[in-house]
Amino acid sequence: MGNLSVHNSHNNQALNEATDWNVIETEFDPAQLHHKETVFSLSNGYLGTRGSFEEGYPQDSAATLIHGLYDKVAIAYTELVNCPSWLPLTIKVAGDRFTMDSGEIIYYERRLDLRLGILSRDVRWRSPQGHTLDFHFERFASLADQHVLAIRTQVTSLDFEGEVSFETSFDPTPQTQGVPHWKTLNQGGVDRIIWLYNQTIHSEIQLGMAAKLVVEGENAPPINLENADTAPTLSTTFQVVPGKSVSVEKIITLFTSREIEIPIAAALQRLADEPRYSTLLAAHIAAWEQVWQDSDIIIEGDRQAQLSVRYNLFQLLAVAPRHDDRVSIPPKTLSGFAYRGHIFWDTEIFILPFLTLTQPALARNLLTYRYHTLPGARRKAQEAGYQGAMFAWESADTGDEVTPRWVPHASGNGELVRIWCGDIEVHINTDVAYAAWHYWQTTGDDDWMRDYGAEIILDTAVFWQSRVIWNAERQTYDILDVIGPDENHDRVNNNAFTNLMVQWHLQSALALWDWLKQAYPEKSSQLAQQLQLTIERLHQWTEIQELLYVNQDEVTGLIEQFEGFFQLEDVNLADYEPRTQSLQGLLGIEATNQKQILKQPDVLMLLYLLRERYDYKTLAINWDYYSKRTDHSYGSSLGPAIHAILACDLNQPTHAYTHFLRSALVDLEDVRRNAAEGIHAASAGGVWQAVVFGFGGIRMTKLGPVACPNLPPTWERLKFRLQWRNEWYDFDLRQKTDMEIDNPPADVNLQPAHPQIKGVIFDLDGVLTDTSELHYLGWKRVADEEGIPFNREANDAIRGLPRRETLMQILGDRTATEAQIQDMMERKNGYFLELIEKITADDLLPGVANLLQELRDAGIKVALGSSSKNAQTVIQRLGIKDKFDAIADGYSVSQPKPAPDLFLFAAQQISISPSQCVVVEDAIAGIEGARAAGMWSVGLGPVERLGKANVVLPSLDRVTWSDLHQRIANSEKPAVLVEASV
């Protein structure tokens, strides 16, 4: 946006200590009219209004959209309707009507104050008759009271003495892209008030709005009412003289029958009670200040990034419904007609993380909308021949599918194009479940999960059971005929994103069910009956998630996007540059479908959402393959932010920043040339994720958020806060001034050369003692009892896995009920407990006793970090329990290694920062967990297996603390983890 600048609001100096809060336009270009209408949109969680001029402009695209106010339309089934505008003001100077296309514009500035939620405009205008006046327009949609809207216009004459008149009325029947949706039930006026009572033609939703004019001053002129029965209009005329100002206020109230039985009565009553503009404005500003206190992001060193980030956050915070859990956020917010106001996965995957971590009450509203649409999802599943709940790809008020099946060809040649998304873009089911699960994990809102979330996650899991198909030849479950996130390719089989997210979904549903049975047995019984959650069904979920087909190279880790993708024509996207449209638009739908050209990340989207499950190597190989095949410029606006985050994970800050700007400026600078259609809501949510999860490096653990920052070179500071389980965590990240990095290895970040180690965390098995033989004997006995072949070679392959995963590997293709699985795990544990009764101090591995004593003498805190649930018993038998200041074991956290949770818990118990802890481990999962926690690591075993550790030793035999400390200081350093202050 070439005429964008950042200034302090001259009206609100006291509240605006920072400078990067204002989007400012200093030249009016009619060619950018619709783009700027989008940019200067206002919302308040109830309605949104495009940034059109109060006096209107030829060919403008004025619109006010209200959450949930849908009406029937051809092709797209239903759409959000354009509501009667609250803006219109007609101003005349000596009979000349003020407009931006008449007379002469001497000075112009339009300003959106993001901090205060105010849109203002200053114009110095010379009328056709040569009179010069200053106009100051200011308006807001109240965040303090969603039914109140206000405009104030100040007129100052420079050289004119005479009459200025104001007039306002309603356009009772606005159309929505040429489609009529309204009929007027009643309209009228009395005294200084006019009203309009409308109803949508098909859905019969009623709308009542009322407005009044107020002129400031002791000798204010009268307000006149005209045409009360036919076209009610309020007007006032006053005298102006040079150097004097007159202000006119317009206050509007608006209700619909969605929230109250007689909306016109509510609108009139509220208007009668409303105070003056200044009082309403003060309440509105206070509401925005509270919101920004929790959701602002501060960036120092990059003003463009600061302003663009705040702009994107503003649009999301403004549109999020605050008092309604039966609506959600459309992909163009409430700022444009594109996508008809339907609801997509954009909300759950791109927008909700921001709200979950900064405004959880708003996130809860949006997720509860999906609960209310479960009946529609069940109807869709039944109509398609499936069980459970099948969420609509495009949803509206009821949850029934509203994706158009056929649309006119974009060329206008009269052909119809089949749209398959509503039928087969089924990953929406898991997207919703994913958002519900992560809301629960982040907030700890057990009540919501019990009352709403569990039914969402479980009934969508029921759907997947009916959607998969058994492939007898391959002995796998397939999901056929789908569309993944990359919509350039439709009707594909075994889309990796879909299959692996379904695997996650079923695993999470099983874990949720276990929790629900224990925490709320009555609710679980109710859902078991309602959703037919039999033991056989739950067992099949276990089987399906284990056997879902994914084509991943076992050596390289490269994942095929879907079956046959690698056989498609490979193209060099650079051959099509320069261009101003998507490759699909350039080549056509069918031609693109036959090529390896991605609209947006698909496999990479999977690796982002399931970050904790994939290592650096897997991400790197898939990034190298898929990123260069993705249409970053004109593909989907959902892609750049995700690429920015993954580029941060790969320590590619230049690439990350490029992708970030594509997302951050998509509306402000009309990067994709379609901003006129409305705000890119998903991209706005992605911007927050790119900053917090990418540059801030936030990882969510069982102990809360931790940061592993990777700031762009120009950013001097990044500050934000997150709410995790009702506690606020404040992050203040800065560039490291005490180090220099010259293109370091992608998975290595540097810390100061002489680390101050204050804590050592020991694994148990293979580090302090060797209980692996006892584990093997326990599993061997169970396997023999079940008639399952099991030997030491097979045991080596499952070394370090949690108990359940170990058993699943032993069982292989054999089926077992959940009861049988639990029985086998309990037997194994019983056998193991019998064996460890024989452990004594003689079973300590060489060097352990001496090293523990040295650490104690040196004042180093010592903790145990073992996944074993028998760890306390073992170290007591070994006679070393008194050498440990804290114990983190299998009961301490729920996420096993390589997640960092266990080590972070241990560090918390000994009150030592993760960056000052070293982990001693013998398994690669433990080394990866230590790295993820931002800790140093010592690997015991072969370099081939433990090469990612800072130091690798054969054992602790004859190892001294001083020697080990020196080795750590001379090693490559771990990822930098930053803890938040609470």
Side-chain angles (χ1 to χ4, degrees):
M1 194 163 163
N3 51 357
L4 238 190
S5 59
V6 182
H7 295 283
N8 224 354
S9 171
H10 61 275
N11 293 322
N12 301 286
Q13 292 287 343
L15 292 172
N16 267 344
E17 297 176 355
T19 58
D20 304 314
W21 284 99
N22 293 277
V23 177
I24 297 177
E25 179 186 46
T26 55
E27 297 176 9
F28 173 60
D29 180 359
Q32 297 183 20
L33 178 68
H34 295 161
H35 166 216
K36 298 302 176 58
E37 286 177 333
T38 293
V39 169
F40 291 105
S41 293
L42 287 178
S43 300
N44 70 347
Y46 177 72
L47 59 73
T49 299
R50 286 172 62 79
S52 306
F53 298 137
E54 288 83 354
E55 71 279 3
Y57 195 88
Q59 307 303 314
D60 65 1
S61 182
T64 290
L65 301 171
I66 297 177
H67 275 309
L69 213 164
Y70 292 97
D71 196 39
K72 183 178 179 180
V73 69
I75 300 177
Y77 300 100
T78 189
E79 67 180 354
L80 282 182
V81 304
N82 188 13
C83 297
S85 176
W86 53 282
L87 300 181
L89 281 175
T90 299
I91 305 173
K92 293 182 179 179
V93 178
D96 288 335
R97 181 171 177 171
F98 164 71
T99 61
M100 292 290 293
D101 63 335
S102 68
E104 179 186 358
I105 305 299
I106 300 171
Y107 173 82
Y108 170 83
E109 179 185 282
R110 181 159 45 166
R111 176 192 303 259
L112 176 59
D113 189 319
L114 304 173
R115 185 165 189 171
L116 306 182
I118 299 172
L119 177 61
S120 62
R121 178 169 49 120
D122 289 286
V123 181
R124 176 164 292 177
W125 182 68
R126 181 168 290 128
S127 73
Q129 296 182 49
H131 307 311
T132 310
L133 300 93
D134 284 342
F135 295 96
H136 174 73
F137 298 87
E138 183 179 279
R139 73 188 193 223
F140 64 92
S142 176
L143 200 69
D145 184 340
Q146 64 180 8
H147 299 288
V148 175
L149 313 154
I151 305 171
R152 179 167 59 190
T153 305
Q154 185 180 75
V155 182
T156 305
S157 172
L158 298 181
D159 57 18
F160 170 61
E161 183 172 348
E163 286 188 349
V164 173
S165 68
F166 275 68
E167 183 180 287
T168 187
S169 60
F170 295 122
D171 174 11
T173 55
Q175 295 189 343
T176 307
Q177 294 183 300
V179 178
H181 285 291
W182 293 105
K183 63 180 179 181
T184 299
L185 302 179
N186 192 9
Q187 57 184 328
V190 61
D191 196 11
R192 296 181 299 172
I193 293 175
I194 57 175
W195 71 82
L196 174 68
Y197 196 18
N198 267 14
Q199 181 174 287
T200 53
I201 295 172
H202 303 287
S203 58
E204 298 185 340
I205 299 174
Q206 295 178 356
L207 176 147
M209 60 190 303
K212 66 180 179 182
L213 283 182
V214 179
V215 183
E216 292 183 347
E218 294 182 0
N219 299 314
I223 305 297
N224 303 310
L225 172 64
E226 303 171 7
N227 307 317
D229 297 330
T230 55
T233 303
L234 295 175
S235 64
T236 186
T237 301
F238 48 84
Q239 295 289 320
V240 297
V241 296
K244 297 294 184 179
S245 300
V246 178
S247 291
V248 179
E249 301 171 0
K250 179 181 179 182
I251 311 298
I252 307 95
T253 55
L254 188 156
F255 287 81
T256 77
S257 57
R258 289 192 66 257
E259 64 271 2
I260 199 163
E261 186 176 358
I262 308 176
I264 187 59
L268 288 167
Q269 181 178 352
R270 182 67 59 87
L271 187 64
D273 296 338
E274 286 304 340
R276 294 290 297 273
Y277 180 94
S278 58
T279 305
L280 296 172
L281 178 61
H284 169 72
I285 289 174
W288 266 111
E289 280 220 294
Q290 182 59 50
V291 169
W292 281 119
Q293 179 180 330
D294 294 335
S295 297
D296 187 27
I297 288 178
I298 295 173
I299 299 170
E300 293 181 2
D302 187 341
R303 297 186 71 188
Q304 182 185 48
Q306 175 68 90
L307 179 63
S308 60
V309 166
R310 280 185 172 144
Y311 177 79
N312 283 280
L313 301 189
F314 170 80
Q315 292 296 350
L316 293 182
L317 293 167
V319 77
R322 283 163 167 71
H323 308 289
D324 192 345
D325 62 10
R326 293 179 178 271
V327 296
S328 189
I329 300 177
K332 295 298 180 185
T333 67
L334 296 174
S335 64
F337 299 121
Y339 302 108
R340 312 282 185 160
H342 296 172
I343 308 304
F344 292 71
W345 72 315
D346 304 36
T347 308
E348 282 75 25
I349 297 301
F350 294 89
I351 299 172
L352 266 170
F354 165 51
L355 297 178
T356 296
L357 282 157
T358 71
Q359 302 284 339
L362 303 186
R364 179 181 172 126
N365 281 347
L366 294 170
L367 283 167
T368 307
Y369 160 80
R370 290 295 188 180
Y371 174 82
H372 291 310
T373 62
L374 272 174
R378 289 172 178 137
R379 285 191 292 271
K380 179 181 177 182
Q382 186 175 16
E383 290 166 5
Y386 302 116
Q387 299 175 4
M390 180 184 183
F391 278 113
W393 177 246
E394 296 186 31
S395 178
D397 49 352
T398 66
D400 292 283
E401 184 61 71
V402 291
T403 304
R405 291 200 166 191
W406 296 91
V407 298
H409 195 282
S411 65
N413 60 11
E415 295 181 5
L416 293 178
V417 178
R418 179 68 161 94
I419 304 298
W420 288 102
C421 301
D423 300 273
I424 59 176
E425 194 153 359
V426 287
H427 67 80
I428 179 67
N429 248 29
T430 285
D431 304 330
V432 174
Y434 181 91
W437 175 273
H438 283 276
Y439 167 80
W440 179 45
Q441 293 294 300
T442 300
T443 63
D445 189 348
D446 290 349
D447 289 347
W448 183 86
M449 181 54 73
R450 176 197 63 210
D451 296 338
Y452 304 102
E455 192 171 340
I456 291 173
I457 293 173
L458 294 169
D459 212 19
T460 46
V462 171
F463 163 79
W464 288 122
Q465 180 182 348
S466 67
R467 185 60 168 82
V468 299
I469 295 175
W470 176 248
N471 186 322
E473 179 181 351
R474 196 160 50 200
Q475 293 290 293
T476 61
Y477 283 100
D478 295 343
I479 302 179
L480 307 179
D481 195 19
V482 301
I483 302 174
D486 168 32
E487 294 173 339
N488 277 356
H489 301 92
D490 57 21
R491 311 207 69 178
V492 303
N493 295 333
N494 289 315
N495 168 253
F497 176 92
T498 303
N499 286 23
L500 286 167
M501 288 298 291
V502 169
Q503 180 188 65
W504 170 89
H505 188 163
L506 294 176
Q507 291 169 349
S508 300
L510 288 166
L512 170 64
W513 183 245
D514 287 342
W515 169 81
L516 195 66
K517 286 191 300 181
Q518 294 181 10
Y520 301 103
E522 289 185 8
K523 183 67 174 182
S524 68
S525 296
Q526 174 201 329
L527 288 178
Q529 183 174 5
Q530 177 186 343
L531 307 181
Q532 299 180 352
L533 301 179
T534 63
I535 293 177
E536 290 74 20
R537 183 185 291 281
L538 297 173
H539 173 68
Q540 191 173 7
W541 290 2
T542 302
E543 181 180 281
I544 291 169
Q545 62 87 18
E546 290 172 356
L547 299 176
L548 268 171
Y549 176 74
V550 176
N551 183 22
Q552 180 175 16
D553 189 294
E554 294 183 359
V555 177
T556 66
L558 182 64
I559 301 170
E560 187 175 31
Q561 182 171 310
F562 55 82
E563 282 193 271
F565 181 85
F566 291 152
Q567 281 68 57
L568 297 179
E569 179 186 351
D570 201 3
V571 297
N572 182 1
L573 271 58
D575 294 343
Y576 298 95
E577 300 295 345
R579 57 190 170 89
T580 57
Q581 61 178 317
S582 71
L583 286 165
Q584 188 186 67
L586 198 66
L587 302 174
I589 295 173
E590 290 303 321
T592 309
N593 197 36
Q594 299 304 313
K595 295 176 172 60
Q596 293 188 31
I597 300 174
L598 279 65
K599 177 182 178 182
Q600 67 193 74
D602 200 299
V603 170
L604 293 180
M605 189 74 200
L606 165 75
L607 299 183
Y608 168 57
L609 293 182
L610 301 182
R611 290 167 96 183
E612 72 281 359
R613 298 192 174 197
Y614 295 96
D615 59 14
Y616 170 84
K617 176 185 174 183
T618 303
L619 174 59
I621 189 69
N622 283 280
W623 170 276
D624 290 344
Y625 191 88
Y626 287 107
S627 180
K628 63 187 178 185
R629 291 169 169 82
T630 302
D631 185 354
H632 297 293
S633 301
Y634 295 101
S636 171
S637 62
L638 280 58
I642 304 305
H643 281 95
I645 299 166
L646 296 179
C648 286
D649 287 352
L650 294 169
N651 200 27
Q652 298 181 15
T654 302
H655 283 120
Y657 191 74
T658 299
H659 288 301
F660 161 75
L661 284 183
R662 282 196 183 107
S663 191
L665 299 175
V666 67
D667 292 315
L668 286 175
E669 300 218 355
D670 198 9
V671 170
R672 294 173 180 272
R673 306 190 178 194
N674 63 354
E677 297 177 354
I679 298 294
H680 291 76
S683 179
V687 167
W688 182 88
Q689 294 187 55
V691 173
V692 172
F693 297 143
F695 299 130
I698 289 295
R699 300 293 193 278
M700 303 308 299
T701 76
K702 294 296 180 183
L703 303 174
V706 295
C708 182
N710 194 348
L711 302 185
T714 61
W715 290 17
E716 299 167 3
R717 183 188 189 195
L718 173 61
K719 187 175 187 294
F720 54 88
R721 62 193 325 235
L722 305 173
Q723 189 181 96
W724 186 80
R725 302 195 177 179
N726 295 316
E727 288 197 46
W728 284 102
Y729 291 71
D730 291 289
F731 291 87
D732 197 344
L733 312 176
R734 301 171 187 266
Q735 291 284 359
K736 297 290 183 182
T737 57
D738 56 350
M739 66 177 181
E740 294 183 2
I741 305 176
D742 184 15
N743 194 27
D747 59 341
V748 176
N749 291 295
L750 301 184
Q751 275 196 343
H754 299 289
Q756 187 178 11
I757 302 298
K758 294 184 177 181
V760 179
I761 303 170
F762 289 92
D763 183 27
L764 176 59
D765 190 31
V767 174
L768 303 179
T769 189
D770 188 1
T771 61
S772 60
E773 177 68 13
L774 307 185
H775 284 292
Y776 165 69
L777 292 174
W779 284 123
K780 174 65 173 170
R781 186 170 170 181
V782 172
D784 290 344
E785 290 169 350
E786 298 294 328
I788 302 172
F790 185 64
N791 54 30
R792 295 185 187 281
E793 183 179 353
N795 185 65
D796 290 341
I798 57 177
R799 181 183 179 91
L801 291 178
R803 189 181 303 170
R804 187 184 184 93
E805 291 182 36
T806 300
L807 178 56
M808 292 300 103
Q809 293 291 328
I810 294 172
L811 289 174
D813 296 334
R814 295 167 179 82
T815 60
T817 66
E818 183 61 27
Q820 290 172 326
I821 290 172
Q822 293 296 331
D823 174 67
M824 285 185 275
M825 289 194 297
E826 289 173 9
R827 273 189 281 150
K828 182 270 175 182
N829 193 49
Y831 301 149
F832 179 75
L833 290 174
E834 292 176 9
L835 293 167
I836 64 175
E837 286 299 318
K838 301 176 183 178
I839 290 178
T840 68
D842 293 337
D843 293 300
L844 275 176
L845 290 175
V848 169
N850 290 336
L851 181 58
L852 288 174
Q853 189 58 51
E854 280 192 41
L855 293 170
R856 176 70 64 185
D857 295 341
I860 303 296
K861 294 286 188 179
V862 178
L864 185 71
S866 169
S867 298
S868 172
K869 292 185 176 180
N870 300 304
Q872 298 216 34
T873 301
V874 173
I875 64 169
Q876 187 165 7
R877 299 289 304 173
L878 290 169
I880 55 173
K881 189 172 183 179
D882 62 324
K883 298 293 192 292
F884 288 88
D885 300 290
I887 295 173
D889 60 14
Y891 295 104
S892 302
V893 298
S894 59
Q895 194 77 4
K897 306 169 191 177
D901 302 30
L902 189 71
F903 298 135
L904 291 172
F905 180 84
Q908 185 183 62
Q909 295 303 301
I910 58 176
S911 302
I912 303 295
S913 167
S915 62
Q916 295 176 320
C917 290
V918 61
V919 171
V920 185
E921 263 281 1
D922 76 320
I924 184 59
I927 299 301
E928 290 178 352
R931 290 177 57 80
M935 299 179 181
W936 307 82
S937 57
V938 175
L940 302 182
V943 174
E944 295 79 14
R945 176 159 57 89
L946 302 168
K948 287 188 176 182
N950 297 103
V951 176
V952 179
L953 302 170
S955 71
L956 294 177
D957 190 17
R958 293 188 294 276
V959 172
T960 65
W961 170 235
S962 59
D963 175 57
L964 187 59
H965 195 187
Q966 186 60 48
R967 286 174 180 264
I968 294 170
N970 294 335
S971 72
E972 291 182 336
K973 309 306 189 289
V976 180
L977 180 143
V978 179
E979 293 180 290
S981 58
V982 180

